[in-house]
Each structure stands twice: as structure tokens, then as C-alpha cells.
Amino acid sequence: RRARPVREVLFFPSRPCCIEALLAEAAEPGAPARPCPCPLPSGDTALSRLVRRLLSARRSLDLCLFSFSCPQLARAVQLLHRRGVRVRLVTDAQYMGLHGSQIGRLRHAGIQVRHDQHSGYMHHKFAIVDRRTLITGSLNWTTQAIQSNRENVLVVEDAEYVKAFQDEFERIWEEYNPANYSFF
Amino acid sequence: RRARPVREVLFFPSRPCCIEALLAEAAEPGAPARPCPCPLPSGDTALSRLVRRLLSARRSLDLCLFSFSCPQLARAVQLLHRRGVRVRLVTDAQYMGLHGSQIGRLRHAGIQVRHDQHSGYMHHKFAIVDRRTLITGSLNWTTQAIQSNRENVLVVEDAEYVKAFQDEFERIWEEYNPANYSFF
């Protein structure tokens, strides 16, 4: 589909930006744009690029995220789920219940979520779009990290890297299967 | 020097391992191996691979690390500094003073360290070896992360990715120059 594999680096903090137009276009492609009343610009930022990459999913989105509390990213993920993309989400048990976590909301929307039951952290922060595009780095999916921290995110379409992360995702997904809970 | 650029992914937790032989060989190449009395195996682990990559530095090592408290990795970095490799280290102001941090020890050894003076975190976790090999991921350089967490580290020799991170390092290095401190 694409001539050259994507190879991109996003650095944060990102300038605050409005992603309503991106979400609206993804929800209803081709619909007339309705201007958003919020005062934020809708320019090209690290956040808008990250959202665009996620919204490009057509078949699957595998998420392996230590901390997920950014409402904008949660809306993008919910939108993909509603659109029929198979979303699977692995997260950290200690962080999923913290104030502002979006995990409950995503579960409520019907998205499959699994978590560890160990004392160590599930500290990955990666996403795989359509088993082809790896999005990984230092960035937790929190508004604080996006707007305030120095962070990096790589976008990688190299098959070797993608396979390594996809295999790790499948290992974790199986290991965290609730059927295996020991309730110790 | 190498036919094919390195492309590796390390997943953690790493089995505990002894890296004395690696450090001894790097300190005094070709010297007769002295067996370490510790009970740990010295096998091929994610940690030993990470240490090997670092010890391959000949000219420069640029470190941009949110948290650095692993004594083994600190010893590897000190060894490179003693060997004449130009080591520069950027870290997070809030985390550099925490219990177990190796930053003081590295400064004491004469390694240049700079840190932010913001409330946001300097949350990167990357290293660049000889301006050619990028080592980046979710892993903070702490023993807890190495031994207990689910983490990833990519080793990348793709010039595009390396340049993006090298430029980010130079930007941060300049921005955190103590000459620019405002002491607000």
C-alpha cells in the first residue's frame, strides 16, 4: 500500500492542540467539517501525529500501556472499537485504578482489557496498528506526559522490530488471561 | 565496520546475571579471566546484552535517563569514562537525588551531568553510542526495572532514527546548560 515504510520520531512535550477535527473525520469520513468552539489550534503537533497514526487502524490495535489516563487518546481508541477494529489492551494492575485512568471507561465501552497480577510493573508503552506499525517509546498515555514531559515515541514499520513486539504482546496477552489468575 | 546495521530488541525482566567478566574484559582486554565468586550465572541475558552494547563505545556515550540507580550500569559507564570515552549524561532533577541514585557517584567520578529545572519530567530513557547506535525504550536504569518489570529496549543503527535522537540530545544538553539557569 505504501512505497516506503514509515519511519518517524515524535518528541514531547507537544503543544496543546484540538483533535476534534481528526476524530470527527475518522468517525464520519467525508462529512462536512464542523468548527470546534475550543480555543486550541488544530495544527500539526506530536499529539496530532500520534492520534493520526492510531486512527489509521483498519483491522487491529494492540495496546500495551503502563498508564492510560489521557481522555483524547481514549476517545480515539473507543472510536476505533466502534468502527469494528479489534482492540486489545494490556495494562498495569497498580496503575489502572488510579484517579483519571481511562481503563474503566474503555472496559465499559466493551474493549477487552487484561492486566498483570505481579508486584513488578507492566511498564511497556507501545501500540501496534494492523500488526504492521509499531508505536513505542517513553511516553505514558497521560495528559501530564504529553503536555509537560520530555518524551519520545518511535513509529516503526520494520518487520523485524514489529514481529518482536507483536510476539511480546501475544505472550503477555496469554499470560494475563484471567483464566490463569491464581488469586494468591 | 559492520556489514549489517544492528537491529535488536531486548525484553525485560532480565534473569539476574553476573557481569563481572564483561566489565573485566572491557577494563583490561585480553587479561586472563578471574572467576567471580558470586553465585550468579554469567549467561546471555537482556542485561548482559545491554551492557555489551554500552561497552562497545569507543569515542562517545550520550545518556538521557529519567532515573539511573542500577550500580552495574553505573560501573559500565564509569569504566567507559576512565577509558577516555566522552560521556555526557542528562537526567531528571526530581529523580537524581532519590535514594540509590547513581548520579552523585558518576559526577564524583568526573562525568558531566546536566539536568532540567522544570516541573515536567525529563522522562527519556535513551543512550547513543559513538553517535551511531541508539538504545531506547521503556526501561529506566534501575535494578527494580531490570529484574522485575516488563520492559523493552530497542537497539537501532538506522541513521534517520539516530540523527533525530542525537539532535534531541544536543537540544536538551544546551537547554540544560547551567549557564542558562534562572534560579526562579
Side-chain angles (χ1 to χ4, degrees), chain A residues 4 7 121 123-124 138 149-152 155 158 160-161 168 175, chain B residues 4 7 121 123-124 138 149-152 155 158 160-161 168 172 175:
Chain A
R4 186 173 175 275
R7 220 201 234 134
Y121 288 134
H123 201 245
H124 288 306
S138 65
N149 290 359
R150 288 275 188 173
E151 306 273 4
N152 64 78
V155 185
D158 178 285
E160 257 183 76
Y161 288 118
E168 171 76 352
E175 186 183 322
Chain B
R4 185 174 175 275
R7 224 203 229 130
Y121 288 135
H123 200 245
H124 288 306
S138 66
N149 291 359
R150 289 274 188 173
E151 306 272 5
N152 65 77
V155 184
D158 178 284
E160 257 183 77
Y161 288 117
E168 172 75 351
I172 296 180
E175 186 183 322

PDB file of all heavy atoms in Angstrom, chain A residues 4 7 121 123-124 138 149-152 155 158 160-161 168 175, chain B residues 4 7 121 123-124 138 149-152 155 158 160-161 168 172 175:
ATOM      1  N   ARG A   4       7.193   3.352   0.870  1.00  0.00           N
ATOM      2  CA  ARG A   4       8.320   3.331   1.797  1.00  0.00           C
ATOM      3  C   ARG A   4       7.778   3.150   3.209  1.00  0.00           C
ATOM      4  O   ARG A   4       6.844   3.829   3.605  1.00  0.00           O
ATOM      5  CB  ARG A   4       9.058   4.667   1.671  1.00  0.00           C
ATOM      6  CG  ARG A   4      10.341   4.769   2.455  1.00  0.00           C
ATOM      7  CD  ARG A   4      11.041   6.083   2.098  1.00  0.00           C
ATOM      8  NE  ARG A   4      12.217   6.263   2.910  1.00  0.00           N
ATOM      9  CZ  ARG A   4      12.213   6.806   4.130  1.00  0.00           C
ATOM     10  NH1 ARG A   4      11.092   7.225   4.681  1.00  0.00           N
ATOM     11  NH2 ARG A   4      13.352   6.918   4.811  1.00  0.00           N
ATOM     12  N   ARG A   7       8.859   5.750   9.080  1.00  0.00           N
ATOM     13  CA  ARG A   7       9.994   5.846   9.995  1.00  0.00           C
ATOM     14  C   ARG A   7       9.946   7.253  10.568  1.00  0.00           C
ATOM     15  O   ARG A   7      10.373   8.191   9.925  1.00  0.00           O
ATOM     16  CB  ARG A   7      11.260   5.710   9.140  1.00  0.00           C
ATOM     17  CG  ARG A   7      12.351   4.890   9.736  1.00  0.00           C
ATOM     18  CD  ARG A   7      13.593   5.287   9.046  1.00  0.00           C
ATOM     19  NE  ARG A   7      14.350   4.220   8.458  1.00  0.00           N
ATOM     20  CZ  ARG A   7      14.862   4.262   7.238  1.00  0.00           C
ATOM     21  NH1 ARG A   7      14.607   5.274   6.436  1.00  0.00           N
ATOM     22  NH2 ARG A   7      15.602   3.278   6.808  1.00  0.00           N
ATOM     23  N   TYR A 121       6.139  -3.849  37.617  1.00  0.00           N
ATOM     24  CA  TYR A 121       5.260  -3.094  36.732  1.00  0.00           C
ATOM     25  C   TYR A 121       5.193  -3.690  35.335  1.00  0.00           C
ATOM     26  O   TYR A 121       6.199  -4.174  34.806  1.00  0.00           O
ATOM     27  CB  TYR A 121       5.754  -1.653  36.604  1.00  0.00           C
ATOM     28  CG  TYR A 121       5.546  -0.816  37.842  1.00  0.00           C
ATOM     29  CD1 TYR A 121       6.568  -0.012  38.314  1.00  0.00           C
ATOM     30  CD2 TYR A 121       4.336  -0.817  38.521  1.00  0.00           C
ATOM     31  CE1 TYR A 121       6.393   0.775  39.446  1.00  0.00           C
ATOM     32  CE2 TYR A 121       4.154  -0.042  39.652  1.00  0.00           C
ATOM     33  CZ  TYR A 121       5.181   0.753  40.112  1.00  0.00           C
ATOM     34  OH  TYR A 121       5.011   1.527  41.229  1.00  0.00           O
ATOM     35  N   HIS A 123       5.432  -2.190  32.382  1.00  0.00           N
ATOM     36  CA  HIS A 123       5.928  -0.835  32.140  1.00  0.00           C
ATOM     37  C   HIS A 123       6.067  -0.484  30.656  1.00  0.00           C
ATOM     38  O   HIS A 123       6.483   0.620  30.301  1.00  0.00           O
ATOM     39  CB  HIS A 123       7.285  -0.674  32.858  1.00  0.00           C
ATOM     40  CG  HIS A 123       7.694   0.734  33.129  1.00  0.00           C
ATOM     41  ND1 HIS A 123       8.797   1.307  32.540  1.00  0.00           N
ATOM     42  CD2 HIS A 123       7.146   1.694  33.910  1.00  0.00           C
ATOM     43  CE1 HIS A 123       8.911   2.555  32.964  1.00  0.00           C
ATOM     44  NE2 HIS A 123       7.929   2.821  33.798  1.00  0.00           N
ATOM     45  N   HIS A 124       5.700  -1.443  29.777  1.00  0.00           N
ATOM     46  CA  HIS A 124       5.721  -1.134  28.340  1.00  0.00           C
ATOM     47  C   HIS A 124       4.807   0.058  28.038  1.00  0.00           C
ATOM     48  O   HIS A 124       3.840   0.311  28.760  1.00  0.00           O
ATOM     49  CB  HIS A 124       5.182  -2.325  27.536  1.00  0.00           C
ATOM     50  CG  HIS A 124       6.092  -3.508  27.462  1.00  0.00           C
ATOM     51  ND1 HIS A 124       7.386  -3.438  27.028  1.00  0.00           N
ATOM     52  CD2 HIS A 124       5.865  -4.823  27.735  1.00  0.00           C
ATOM     53  CE1 HIS A 124       7.927  -4.652  27.048  1.00  0.00           C
ATOM     54  NE2 HIS A 124       7.027  -5.513  27.480  1.00  0.00           N
ATOM     55  N   SER A 138       8.993   6.287  25.331  1.00  0.00           N
ATOM     56  CA  SER A 138       8.999   6.550  26.777  1.00  0.00           C
ATOM     57  C   SER A 138       7.650   7.069  27.259  1.00  0.00           C
ATOM     58  O   SER A 138       7.410   7.164  28.459  1.00  0.00           O
ATOM     59  CB  SER A 138      10.077   7.592  27.101  1.00  0.00           C
ATOM     60  OG  SER A 138       9.750   8.838  26.509  1.00  0.00           O
ATOM     61  N   ASN A 149       6.169  16.644  29.802  1.00  0.00           N
ATOM     62  CA  ASN A 149       7.431  15.897  29.901  1.00  0.00           C
ATOM     63  C   ASN A 149       8.236  15.916  28.603  1.00  0.00           C
ATOM     64  O   ASN A 149       7.685  16.060  27.522  1.00  0.00           O
ATOM     65  CB  ASN A 149       7.148  14.421  30.222  1.00  0.00           C
ATOM     66  CG  ASN A 149       6.629  14.201  31.626  1.00  0.00           C
ATOM     67  OD1 ASN A 149       6.480  15.147  32.392  1.00  0.00           O
ATOM     68  ND2 ASN A 149       6.352  12.953  31.945  1.00  0.00           N
ATOM     69  N   ARG A 150       9.535  15.708  28.760  1.00  0.00           N
ATOM     70  CA  ARG A 150      10.387  15.348  27.633  1.00  0.00           C
ATOM     71  C   ARG A 150      10.187  13.866  27.366  1.00  0.00           C
ATOM     72  O   ARG A 150      10.488  13.033  28.246  1.00  0.00           O
ATOM     73  CB  ARG A 150      11.856  15.574  28.000  1.00  0.00           C
ATOM     74  CG  ARG A 150      12.231  17.016  28.082  1.00  0.00           C
ATOM     75  CD  ARG A 150      12.589  17.513  26.695  1.00  0.00           C
ATOM     76  NE  ARG A 150      13.133  18.844  26.776  1.00  0.00           N
ATOM     77  CZ  ARG A 150      13.659  19.481  25.739  1.00  0.00           C
ATOM     78  NH1 ARG A 150      13.711  18.915  24.546  1.00  0.00           N
ATOM     79  NH2 ARG A 150      14.125  20.693  25.880  1.00  0.00           N
ATOM     80  N   GLU A 151       9.692  13.510  26.197  1.00  0.00           N
ATOM     81  CA  GLU A 151       9.363  12.126  25.871  1.00  0.00           C
ATOM     82  C   GLU A 151       9.675  11.865  24.413  1.00  0.00           C
ATOM     83  O   GLU A 151       9.769  12.792  23.611  1.00  0.00           O
ATOM     84  CB  GLU A 151       7.855  11.865  26.068  1.00  0.00           C
ATOM     85  CG  GLU A 151       7.281  12.227  27.424  1.00  0.00           C
ATOM     86  CD  GLU A 151       7.412  11.112  28.452  1.00  0.00           C
ATOM     87  OE1 GLU A 151       8.030  10.064  28.126  1.00  0.00           O
ATOM     88  OE2 GLU A 151       6.906  11.287  29.568  1.00  0.00           O
ATOM     89  N   ASN A 152       9.806  10.588  24.072  1.00  0.00           N
ATOM     90  CA  ASN A 152       9.972  10.203  22.672  1.00  0.00           C
ATOM     91  C   ASN A 152       9.017   9.075  22.319  1.00  0.00           C
ATOM     92  O   ASN A 152       8.672   8.253  23.166  1.00  0.00           O
ATOM     93  CB  ASN A 152      11.418   9.775  22.398  1.00  0.00           C
ATOM     94  CG  ASN A 152      11.799   8.531  23.172  1.00  0.00           C
ATOM     95  OD1 ASN A 152      11.425   7.413  22.794  1.00  0.00           O
ATOM     96  ND2 ASN A 152      12.526   8.702  24.271  1.00  0.00           N
ATOM     97  N   VAL A 155       7.847   5.648  15.554  1.00  0.00           N
ATOM     98  CA  VAL A 155       6.905   4.943  14.691  1.00  0.00           C
ATOM     99  C   VAL A 155       7.744   4.123  13.721  1.00  0.00           C
ATOM    100  O   VAL A 155       8.602   4.665  13.027  1.00  0.00           O
ATOM    101  CB  VAL A 155       5.991   5.916  13.931  1.00  0.00           C
ATOM    102  CG1 VAL A 155       4.950   5.155  13.133  1.00  0.00           C
ATOM    103  CG2 VAL A 155       5.338   6.898  14.891  1.00  0.00           C
ATOM    104  N   ASP A 158       9.391  -1.462  10.356  1.00  0.00           N
ATOM    105  CA  ASP A 158      10.344  -2.522  10.071  1.00  0.00           C
ATOM    106  C   ASP A 158       9.796  -3.863  10.602  1.00  0.00           C
ATOM    107  O   ASP A 158       9.461  -3.992  11.783  1.00  0.00           O
ATOM    108  CB  ASP A 158      11.662  -2.180  10.775  1.00  0.00           C
ATOM    109  CG  ASP A 158      12.707  -3.252  10.573  1.00  0.00           C
ATOM    110  OD1 ASP A 158      12.597  -4.312  11.215  1.00  0.00           O
ATOM    111  OD2 ASP A 158      13.608  -3.036   9.766  1.00  0.00           O
ATOM    112  N   GLU A 160      11.042  -6.745  11.347  1.00  0.00           N
ATOM    113  CA  GLU A 160      11.739  -7.428  12.441  1.00  0.00           C
ATOM    114  C   GLU A 160      11.358  -6.859  13.808  1.00  0.00           C
ATOM    115  O   GLU A 160      11.062  -7.600  14.752  1.00  0.00           O
ATOM    116  CB  GLU A 160      13.256  -7.265  12.268  1.00  0.00           C
ATOM    117  CG  GLU A 160      13.946  -8.503  11.723  1.00  0.00           C
ATOM    118  CD  GLU A 160      15.458  -8.297  11.633  1.00  0.00           C
ATOM    119  OE1 GLU A 160      16.158  -8.341  12.664  1.00  0.00           O
ATOM    120  OE2 GLU A 160      15.915  -8.084  10.488  1.00  0.00           O
ATOM    121  N   TYR A 161      11.388  -5.535  13.920  1.00  0.00           N
ATOM    122  CA  TYR A 161      11.002  -4.908  15.188  1.00  0.00           C
ATOM    123  C   TYR A 161       9.529  -5.185  15.494  1.00  0.00           C
ATOM    124  O   TYR A 161       9.167  -5.492  16.630  1.00  0.00           O
ATOM    125  CB  TYR A 161      11.228  -3.389  15.142  1.00  0.00           C
ATOM    126  CG  TYR A 161      12.675  -2.950  15.188  1.00  0.00           C
ATOM    127  CD1 TYR A 161      13.246  -2.256  14.138  1.00  0.00           C
ATOM    128  CD2 TYR A 161      13.456  -3.203  16.309  1.00  0.00           C
ATOM    129  CE1 TYR A 161      14.567  -1.821  14.178  1.00  0.00           C
ATOM    130  CE2 TYR A 161      14.776  -2.773  16.364  1.00  0.00           C
ATOM    131  CZ  TYR A 161      15.329  -2.089  15.298  1.00  0.00           C
ATOM    132  OH  TYR A 161      16.638  -1.661  15.345  1.00  0.00           O
ATOM    133  N   GLU A 168       5.848 -10.356  21.804  1.00  0.00           N
ATOM    134  CA  GLU A 168       5.798  -9.997  23.229  1.00  0.00           C
ATOM    135  C   GLU A 168       4.354  -9.714  23.640  1.00  0.00           C
ATOM    136  O   GLU A 168       3.913 -10.150  24.708  1.00  0.00           O
ATOM    137  CB  GLU A 168       6.696  -8.773  23.492  1.00  0.00           C
ATOM    138  CG  GLU A 168       6.592  -8.155  24.886  1.00  0.00           C
ATOM    139  CD  GLU A 168       7.297  -8.942  25.991  1.00  0.00           C
ATOM    140  OE1 GLU A 168       7.753 -10.073  25.729  1.00  0.00           O
ATOM    141  OE2 GLU A 168       7.366  -8.419  27.121  1.00  0.00           O
ATOM    142  N   GLU A 175      -0.400 -14.700  29.051  1.00  0.00           N
ATOM    143  CA  GLU A 175      -0.015 -14.797  30.463  1.00  0.00           C
ATOM    144  C   GLU A 175      -1.024 -14.097  31.364  1.00  0.00           C
ATOM    145  O   GLU A 175      -1.272 -14.542  32.493  1.00  0.00           O
ATOM    146  CB  GLU A 175       1.380 -14.177  30.643  1.00  0.00           C
ATOM    147  CG  GLU A 175       1.951 -14.358  32.040  1.00  0.00           C
ATOM    148  CD  GLU A 175       3.309 -13.668  32.184  1.00  0.00           C
ATOM    149  OE1 GLU A 175       4.109 -13.698  31.221  1.00  0.00           O
ATOM    150  OE2 GLU A 175       3.553 -13.091  33.261  1.00  0.00           O
TER     151      GLU A 175
ATOM    152  N   ARG B   4      26.030  -5.296   8.422  1.00  0.00           N
ATOM    153  CA  ARG B   4      24.610  -5.035   8.515  1.00  0.00           C
ATOM    154  C   ARG B   4      24.337  -4.256   9.801  1.00  0.00           C
ATOM    155  O   ARG B   4      24.836  -4.594  10.855  1.00  0.00           O
ATOM    156  CB  ARG B   4      23.885  -6.385   8.561  1.00  0.00           C
ATOM    157  CG  ARG B   4      22.389  -6.317   8.541  1.00  0.00           C
ATOM    158  CD  ARG B   4      21.807  -7.723   8.434  1.00  0.00           C
ATOM    159  NE  ARG B   4      20.376  -7.698   8.525  1.00  0.00           N
ATOM    160  CZ  ARG B   4      19.688  -7.697   9.663  1.00  0.00           C
ATOM    161  NH1 ARG B   4      20.320  -7.725  10.811  1.00  0.00           N
ATOM    162  NH2 ARG B   4      18.358  -7.676   9.647  1.00  0.00           N
ATOM    163  N   ARG B   7      20.065  -4.394  14.712  1.00  0.00           N
ATOM    164  CA  ARG B   7      18.618  -4.236  14.853  1.00  0.00           C
ATOM    165  C   ARG B   7      18.194  -5.276  15.870  1.00  0.00           C
ATOM    166  O   ARG B   7      18.061  -6.441  15.546  1.00  0.00           O
ATOM    167  CB  ARG B   7      18.014  -4.626  13.505  1.00  0.00           C
ATOM    168  CG  ARG B   7      16.933  -3.712  13.013  1.00  0.00           C
ATOM    169  CD  ARG B   7      16.146  -4.524  12.063  1.00  0.00           C
ATOM    170  NE  ARG B   7      15.898  -3.868  10.793  1.00  0.00           N
ATOM    171  CZ  ARG B   7      16.119  -4.432   9.621  1.00  0.00           C
ATOM    172  NH1 ARG B   7      16.652  -5.619   9.532  1.00  0.00           N
ATOM    173  NH2 ARG B   7      15.798  -3.806   8.535  1.00  0.00           N
ATOM    174  N   TYR B 121       8.732  16.122  33.817  1.00  0.00           N
ATOM    175  CA  TYR B 121       9.841  15.172  33.911  1.00  0.00           C
ATOM    176  C   TYR B 121      10.692  15.155  32.649  1.00  0.00           C
ATOM    177  O   TYR B 121      10.181  15.254  31.540  1.00  0.00           O
ATOM    178  CB  TYR B 121       9.313  13.748  34.125  1.00  0.00           C
ATOM    179  CG  TYR B 121       8.754  13.501  35.501  1.00  0.00           C
ATOM    180  CD1 TYR B 121       7.548  12.823  35.654  1.00  0.00           C
ATOM    181  CD2 TYR B 121       9.422  13.923  36.637  1.00  0.00           C
ATOM    182  CE1 TYR B 121       7.018  12.583  36.913  1.00  0.00           C
ATOM    183  CE2 TYR B 121       8.905  13.684  37.898  1.00  0.00           C
ATOM    184  CZ  TYR B 121       7.709  13.018  38.033  1.00  0.00           C
ATOM    185  OH  TYR B 121       7.190  12.786  39.281  1.00  0.00           O
ATOM    186  N   HIS B 123      11.831  12.598  30.905  1.00  0.00           N
ATOM    187  CA  HIS B 123      11.381  11.199  31.019  1.00  0.00           C
ATOM    188  C   HIS B 123      12.003  10.283  29.955  1.00  0.00           C
ATOM    189  O   HIS B 123      11.700   9.083  29.918  1.00  0.00           O
ATOM    190  CB  HIS B 123       9.839  11.170  30.921  1.00  0.00           C
ATOM    191  CG  HIS B 123       9.195   9.947  31.470  1.00  0.00           C
ATOM    192  ND1 HIS B 123       8.505   9.051  30.683  1.00  0.00           N
ATOM    193  CD2 HIS B 123       9.148   9.463  32.731  1.00  0.00           C
ATOM    194  CE1 HIS B 123       8.036   8.077  31.447  1.00  0.00           C
ATOM    195  NE2 HIS B 123       8.395   8.290  32.694  1.00  0.00           N
ATOM    196  N   HIS B 124      12.870  10.818  29.093  1.00  0.00           N
ATOM    197  CA  HIS B 124      13.563   9.961  28.127  1.00  0.00           C
ATOM    198  C   HIS B 124      14.339   8.870  28.844  1.00  0.00           C
ATOM    199  O   HIS B 124      14.767   9.051  29.995  1.00  0.00           O
ATOM    200  CB  HIS B 124      14.579  10.783  27.309  1.00  0.00           C
ATOM    201  CG  HIS B 124      13.983  11.720  26.306  1.00  0.00           C
ATOM    202  ND1 HIS B 124      13.092  11.333  25.340  1.00  0.00           N
ATOM    203  CD2 HIS B 124      14.194  13.054  26.086  1.00  0.00           C
ATOM    204  CE1 HIS B 124      12.768  12.375  24.580  1.00  0.00           C
ATOM    205  NE2 HIS B 124      13.415  13.434  25.011  1.00  0.00           N
ATOM    206  N   SER B 138      11.462   1.637  27.123  1.00  0.00           N
ATOM    207  CA  SER B 138      10.684   1.972  28.322  1.00  0.00           C
ATOM    208  C   SER B 138      11.518   1.860  29.591  1.00  0.00           C
ATOM    209  O   SER B 138      11.092   2.282  30.659  1.00  0.00           O
ATOM    210  CB  SER B 138       9.489   1.025  28.433  1.00  0.00           C
ATOM    211  OG  SER B 138       9.932  -0.312  28.671  1.00  0.00           O
ATOM    212  N   ASN B 149      10.331  -5.637  36.120  1.00  0.00           N
ATOM    213  CA  ASN B 149       9.293  -5.074  35.246  1.00  0.00           C
ATOM    214  C   ASN B 149       9.276  -5.712  33.867  1.00  0.00           C
ATOM    215  O   ASN B 149      10.296  -6.217  33.400  1.00  0.00           O
ATOM    216  CB  ASN B 149       9.528  -3.573  35.044  1.00  0.00           C
ATOM    217  CG  ASN B 149       9.275  -2.755  36.291  1.00  0.00           C
ATOM    218  OD1 ASN B 149       8.901  -3.281  37.328  1.00  0.00           O
ATOM    219  ND2 ASN B 149       9.493  -1.461  36.176  1.00  0.00           N
ATOM    220  N   ARG B 150       8.120  -5.621  33.225  1.00  0.00           N
ATOM    221  CA  ARG B 150       8.020  -5.845  31.784  1.00  0.00           C
ATOM    222  C   ARG B 150       8.512  -4.577  31.097  1.00  0.00           C
ATOM    223  O   ARG B 150       7.898  -3.510  31.269  1.00  0.00           O
ATOM    224  CB  ARG B 150       6.561  -6.083  31.385  1.00  0.00           C
ATOM    225  CG  ARG B 150       6.033  -7.390  31.842  1.00  0.00           C
ATOM    226  CD  ARG B 150       6.382  -8.451  30.809  1.00  0.00           C
ATOM    227  NE  ARG B 150       5.725  -9.683  31.119  1.00  0.00           N
ATOM    228  CZ  ARG B 150       5.733 -10.748  30.323  1.00  0.00           C
ATOM    229  NH1 ARG B 150       6.366 -10.723  29.162  1.00  0.00           N
ATOM    230  NH2 ARG B 150       5.132 -11.844  30.665  1.00  0.00           N
ATOM    231  N   GLU B 151       9.580  -4.678  30.322  1.00  0.00           N
ATOM    232  CA  GLU B 151      10.185  -3.507  29.695  1.00  0.00           C
ATOM    233  C   GLU B 151      10.714  -3.877  28.327  1.00  0.00           C
ATOM    234  O   GLU B 151      10.963  -5.053  28.052  1.00  0.00           O
ATOM    235  CB  GLU B 151      11.389  -3.006  30.530  1.00  0.00           C
ATOM    236  CG  GLU B 151      11.119  -2.718  31.987  1.00  0.00           C
ATOM    237  CD  GLU B 151      10.638  -1.300  32.237  1.00  0.00           C
ATOM    238  OE1 GLU B 151      10.424  -0.548  31.265  1.00  0.00           O
ATOM    239  OE2 GLU B 151      10.470  -0.949  33.418  1.00  0.00           O
ATOM    240  N   ASN B 152      10.927  -2.889  27.492  1.00  0.00           N
ATOM    241  CA  ASN B 152      11.562  -3.106  26.196  1.00  0.00           C
ATOM    242  C   ASN B 152      12.678  -2.113  25.967  1.00  0.00           C
ATOM    243  O   ASN B 152      12.638  -0.987  26.464  1.00  0.00           O
ATOM    244  CB  ASN B 152      10.534  -2.999  25.062  1.00  0.00           C
ATOM    245  CG  ASN B 152       9.955  -1.610  24.946  1.00  0.00           C
ATOM    246  OD1 ASN B 152      10.599  -0.696  24.417  1.00  0.00           O
ATOM    247  ND2 ASN B 152       8.743  -1.399  25.472  1.00  0.00           N
ATOM    248  N   VAL B 155      17.585  -1.567  20.071  1.00  0.00           N
ATOM    249  CA  VAL B 155      18.911  -1.162  19.630  1.00  0.00           C
ATOM    250  C   VAL B 155      18.799  -0.900  18.129  1.00  0.00           C
ATOM    251  O   VAL B 155      18.370  -1.771  17.381  1.00  0.00           O
ATOM    252  CB  VAL B 155      19.962  -2.247  19.916  1.00  0.00           C
ATOM    253  CG1 VAL B 155      21.350  -1.758  19.542  1.00  0.00           C
ATOM    254  CG2 VAL B 155      19.903  -2.677  21.381  1.00  0.00           C
ATOM    255  N   ASP B 158      19.811   2.608  12.501  1.00  0.00           N
ATOM    256  CA  ASP B 158      19.274   3.347  11.361  1.00  0.00           C
ATOM    257  C   ASP B 158      19.620   4.833  11.510  1.00  0.00           C
ATOM    258  O   ASP B 158      19.310   5.465  12.531  1.00  0.00           O
ATOM    259  CB  ASP B 158      17.758   3.156  11.342  1.00  0.00           C
ATOM    260  CG  ASP B 158      17.103   3.930  10.228  1.00  0.00           C
ATOM    261  OD1 ASP B 158      16.972   5.164  10.361  1.00  0.00           O
ATOM    262  OD2 ASP B 158      16.732   3.306   9.229  1.00  0.00           O
ATOM    263  N   GLU B 160      18.524   7.609  10.268  1.00  0.00           N
ATOM    264  CA  GLU B 160      17.441   8.587  10.452  1.00  0.00           C
ATOM    265  C   GLU B 160      16.994   8.674  11.910  1.00  0.00           C
ATOM    266  O   GLU B 160      16.844   9.761  12.469  1.00  0.00           O
ATOM    267  CB  GLU B 160      16.241   8.185   9.599  1.00  0.00           C
ATOM    268  CG  GLU B 160      16.086   9.005   8.332  1.00  0.00           C
ATOM    269  CD  GLU B 160      14.830   8.609   7.565  1.00  0.00           C
ATOM    270  OE1 GLU B 160      13.719   9.002   7.969  1.00  0.00           O
ATOM    271  OE2 GLU B 160      14.982   7.863   6.578  1.00  0.00           O
ATOM    272  N   TYR B 161      16.761   7.491  12.515  1.00  0.00           N
ATOM    273  CA  TYR B 161      16.355   7.484  13.928  1.00  0.00           C
ATOM    274  C   TYR B 161      17.475   8.041  14.809  1.00  0.00           C
ATOM    275  O   TYR B 161      17.242   8.804  15.735  1.00  0.00           O
ATOM    276  CB  TYR B 161      16.004   6.058  14.389  1.00  0.00           C
ATOM    277  CG  TYR B 161      14.704   5.508  13.851  1.00  0.00           C
ATOM    278  CD1 TYR B 161      14.684   4.385  13.033  1.00  0.00           C
ATOM    279  CD2 TYR B 161      13.484   6.089  14.189  1.00  0.00           C
ATOM    280  CE1 TYR B 161      13.492   3.858  12.558  1.00  0.00           C
ATOM    281  CE2 TYR B 161      12.293   5.569  13.719  1.00  0.00           C
ATOM    282  CZ  TYR B 161      12.301   4.447  12.898  1.00  0.00           C
ATOM    283  OH  TYR B 161      11.124   3.929  12.427  1.00  0.00           O
ATOM    284  N   GLU B 168      17.921  15.696  19.414  1.00  0.00           N
ATOM    285  CA  GLU B 168      17.177  15.941  20.659  1.00  0.00           C
ATOM    286  C   GLU B 168      18.159  16.035  21.834  1.00  0.00           C
ATOM    287  O   GLU B 168      18.023  16.902  22.695  1.00  0.00           O
ATOM    288  CB  GLU B 168      16.151  14.827  20.897  1.00  0.00           C
ATOM    289  CG  GLU B 168      15.438  14.852  22.252  1.00  0.00           C
ATOM    290  CD  GLU B 168      14.361  15.919  22.397  1.00  0.00           C
ATOM    291  OE1 GLU B 168      14.244  16.779  21.512  1.00  0.00           O
ATOM    292  OE2 GLU B 168      13.653  15.882  23.423  1.00  0.00           O
ATOM    293  N   ILE B 172      18.666  19.330  24.273  1.00  0.00           N
ATOM    294  CA  ILE B 172      18.496  19.257  25.727  1.00  0.00           C
ATOM    295  C   ILE B 172      19.796  19.632  26.427  1.00  0.00           C
ATOM    296  O   ILE B 172      19.808  20.370  27.413  1.00  0.00           O
ATOM    297  CB  ILE B 172      18.045  17.838  26.144  1.00  0.00           C
ATOM    298  CG1 ILE B 172      16.666  17.539  25.562  1.00  0.00           C
ATOM    299  CG2 ILE B 172      18.048  17.688  27.651  1.00  0.00           C
ATOM    300  CD1 ILE B 172      16.129  16.163  25.919  1.00  0.00           C
ATOM    301  N   GLU B 175      19.989  23.305  26.377  1.00  0.00           N
ATOM    302  CA  GLU B 175      18.935  23.917  27.194  1.00  0.00           C
ATOM    303  C   GLU B 175      19.246  23.775  28.680  1.00  0.00           C
ATOM    304  O   GLU B 175      18.932  24.662  29.470  1.00  0.00           O
ATOM    305  CB  GLU B 175      17.601  23.244  26.860  1.00  0.00           C
ATOM    306  CG  GLU B 175      16.411  23.898  27.535  1.00  0.00           C
ATOM    307  CD  GLU B 175      15.109  23.159  27.224  1.00  0.00           C
ATOM    308  OE1 GLU B 175      14.936  22.685  26.079  1.00  0.00           O
ATOM    309  OE2 GLU B 175      14.279  23.037  28.150  1.00  0.00           O
TER     310      GLU B 175
END
